[in-house]
Amino acid sequence: MARLIGLDVGTSSLKGLAIDESGALLGEAERVYAFATPRPGWAEQDPELWWQAAQAVLEQLDAQRADGIGLTGQMHGLVALGADDRPLRPAILWNDGRAQRECELIEERVGVARLLELSGNRALAGFTAPKLLWLAEHEPEIHARIRRVMLPKDYVRLRLCGEHVTDVSDASGTLLFDVAARRWSSELAQALEVDEAWLPVALESGAHSGDSPTGVPVAAGAGDQAAGALGVGVIDERGPASVVLGTSGVVFAARERYPAAPDGLLHAFCHAVPSVWHVMGVMLSAAGSLRWLHDALGGEPDFATLLLEAQRWPPGVEGLLFAPYLAGERTPYPDPDARGAFTGLSLRHDRGALVRAVLEGVAFGLRDCFDLVGAHGRAPTHARVSGGGSRGDLWLSILAAVLDLPLERTAVDAGAAYGAALLGGVAGGVFADTREAVAACVRTTTTVEPDPAQTRAYAQLRPSFVALYPALARLREQAG
């Protein structure tokens, strides 16, 4: 029996799992760590925390007996290494917003149209290149000592294998990658004054990137969203899309051609499947909105009770709407200053009404993402769901109705680590390629069909939701 291990280097913990060649879970492990916020809007992490967690998880999963290891994790983070391959400072993470000014400089230097053509994305503060420009301006003594630039999961690989390697999907989120050509962009590197010698070798996700100290093949791996989509079988433009109801929300669809989005509202990256790309809409507060409400209500009752109370309310909650922009937004509003709101409150509304409004507001936000994905290529006819929010029947029924789309659950919903384990199987020779890995391991269980009556109700309600963001933006402007 094969033993394949996937490691997911997350923001708050490192998760690992082991599966066999049929995709059955053999074991799971996790180590929690913290990140620092030295100033408002900043987010940093000591890379040594990832390596310590990885060692513990690999030991718990008996990795020395594995046939392959795959890596995934948080994207965009900047790990700046000196000549001795040691971090020069804490990593600057994906959710760090300090480099907004540098984003403006990048778009001035390169031009928005050319940046979209090459990288598939507008410049966002979370991406890697703006962080490098910020270092050059604000910490020049550290910037002058940089000899290598790594992404979070690839720092773990460096410690595990001694190799300076990344994969094409993770590299796509740096603003230094020619996404169409699936290679580093000399044009972008020169424009942003980044030494190409700093950049790791970029391989396809299932490629063999090196070996662990015990001789286990390690795959190049993938960014967390590409690995998560692979783990639910989203690999083909004619197949399902992926909808993730995690802390953030994602609508993800595979594309067989480079899908440069002319308006930049979607992300366009290389997929973890060779010769396949993907488009992705991201909202920053999905299940995170429900977590916020739960905590704001004092942490009680439990989520199951809150969802039962929400179920008593009809679609639209008698005019109550929730704008899910608690942490700014990406798609379809690239606005870091966007904020959330409840509107339409009345004396009749109770705790369950607030919960239902949150569920519906997030579903409408995902519909915004879904419509953009459909406008830039083939519109999906069904989707696979994953993430903690997808485990509740009420939320899935609302989401299916708002999207007017069948939603499929998979037998194993273990996040990006599952896709990483499949890639480990490819690197280790257990599977010939990623398509064979998916065919062998990914199976669907139940399907949530959209209820026609709810679909009609939400179609009538959606214009009111769409009007929320412009109204809130005007209020913000008036407030100065």
Side-chain angles (χ1 to χ4, degrees):
M1 180 175 68
R3 187 175 190 85
L4 309 174
I5 290 177
L7 294 183
D8 179 6
V9 184
T11 310
S12 57
S13 70
L14 188 145
K15 299 175 184 176
L17 56 78
I19 64 173
D20 67 15
E21 67 274 18
S22 73
L25 282 174
L26 302 176
E28 296 182 84
E30 182 176 10
R31 291 295 184 275
V32 176
Y33 39 68
F35 66 87
T37 54
R39 294 188 187 179
W42 290 23
E44 299 183 348
Q45 207 157 42
D46 180 359
E48 185 65 22
L49 296 174
W50 308 330
W51 175 234
Q52 292 173 357
Q55 289 177 292
V57 167
L58 287 169
E59 182 178 0
Q60 186 172 339
L61 295 175
D62 200 9
Q64 63 183 3
R65 295 195 302 110
D67 297 280
I69 297 171
L71 302 174
T72 185
Q74 51 175 303
M75 297 178 68
H76 315 307
L78 171 63
V79 185
L81 304 179
D84 58 0
D85 274 345
R86 294 183 179 179
L88 296 170
R89 68 177 320 286
I92 306 177
L93 303 188
W94 65 274
N95 53 344
D96 186 290
R98 75 183 74 180
Q100 187 59 44
R101 172 58 184 153
E102 284 68 27
C103 292
E104 297 167 5
L105 290 174
I106 288 171
E107 295 195 344
E108 289 172 8
R109 286 189 197 178
V110 180
V112 173
R114 185 58 176 159
L115 185 64
L116 284 168
E117 184 180 357
L118 285 170
S119 76
N121 296 276
R122 294 287 300 266
L124 297 175
F127 284 9
T128 314
K131 299 177 175 71
L132 276 169
L133 268 65
W134 185 92
L135 277 183
E137 176 67 22
H138 298 277
E139 298 180 4
E141 70 289 351
I142 290 177
H143 187 271
R145 294 166 56 199
I146 294 176
R147 294 298 177 269
R148 294 281 188 176
V149 171
M150 305 296 289
L151 294 160
K153 79 173 193 317
D154 303 318
Y155 180 76
V156 171
R157 181 202 328 280
L158 177 64
R159 298 294 297 269
L160 183 63
C161 306
E163 302 289 345
H164 299 93
V165 173
T166 190
D167 77 282
V168 295
S169 71
D170 217 355
S172 296
T174 62
L175 288 185
L176 295 166
F177 204 64
D178 184 335
V179 178
R182 303 174 85 91
R183 63 172 180 250
W184 295 111
S185 170
S186 296
E187 180 180 338
L188 288 174
Q190 291 171 11
L192 304 182
E193 300 178 3
V194 173
D195 188 340
E196 289 186 71
W198 295 354
L199 304 175
V201 175
L203 302 176
E204 292 293 338
S205 292
H208 178 196
S209 70
D211 296 314
S212 74
T214 57
V216 179
V218 177
D224 54 359
Q225 293 301 330
L230 184 71
V232 295
V234 177
I235 59 174
D236 190 289
E237 186 165 354
R238 292 171 297 279
S242 166
V243 176
V244 181
L245 265 176
T247 300
S248 58
V250 176
V251 177
F252 178 116
R255 294 288 183 257
E256 294 170 3
R257 297 179 182 176
Y258 173 56
D263 52 15
L265 295 179
L266 293 175
H267 300 305
F269 294 153
C270 297
H271 197 2
V273 183
S275 302
V276 177
W277 291 259
H278 70 81
V279 288
M280 182 171 67
V282 179
M283 58 181 300
L284 296 181
S285 297
S289 293
L290 184 60
R291 165 64 69 180
W292 162 80
L293 180 60
H294 171 267
D295 294 348
L297 293 171
E300 293 183 358
D302 58 27
F303 286 101
T305 302
L306 290 176
L307 292 172
L308 280 174
E309 294 177 2
Q311 198 162 2
R312 298 175 189 144
W313 284 87
V317 206
E318 297 182 2
L320 180 60
L321 292 170
F322 174 70
Y325 313 124
L326 298 175
E329 193 54 294
R330 282 198 186 181
T331 308
Y333 310 114
D335 182 358
D337 297 319
R339 291 295 178 262
F342 284 104
T343 68
L345 281 164
S346 76
L347 292 172
R348 282 177 49 79
H349 290 126
D350 59 12
R351 184 171 63 189
L354 296 176
V355 174
R356 175 114 192 182
V358 166
L359 303 183
E360 293 179 349
V362 170
F364 281 130
L366 287 168
R367 175 62 187 262
D368 286 341
C369 296
F370 179 80
D371 285 353
L372 281 171
V373 166
H376 291 90
R378 183 177 181 273
T381 58
H382 61 298
R384 303 265 170 88
V385 290
S386 60
S390 70
R391 291 163 196 157
D393 291 339
L394 174 61
W395 208 347
L396 278 198
S397 70
I398 291 171
L399 183 58
V402 170
L403 297 180
D404 194 14
L405 203 70
L407 301 178
E408 301 172 339
R409 289 186 172 109
T410 55
V412 180
D413 178 9
Y418 194 79
L422 299 184
L423 293 170
V426 175
V430 175
F431 307 117
D433 54 31
T434 48
R435 296 181 186 277
E436 182 177 295
V438 166
C441 297
V442 180
R443 289 171 291 281
T444 60
T445 53
T446 58
T447 299
V448 178
E449 297 284 350
D451 175 80
Q454 284 201 76
T455 297
R456 288 191 296 271
Y458 286 126
Q460 293 174 350
L461 291 165
R462 187 163 179 252
S464 297
F465 174 82
V466 172
L468 271 181
Y469 173 79
L472 293 171
R474 285 194 298 271
L475 287 172
R476 192 175 70 205
E477 290 174 3
Q478 292 168 5

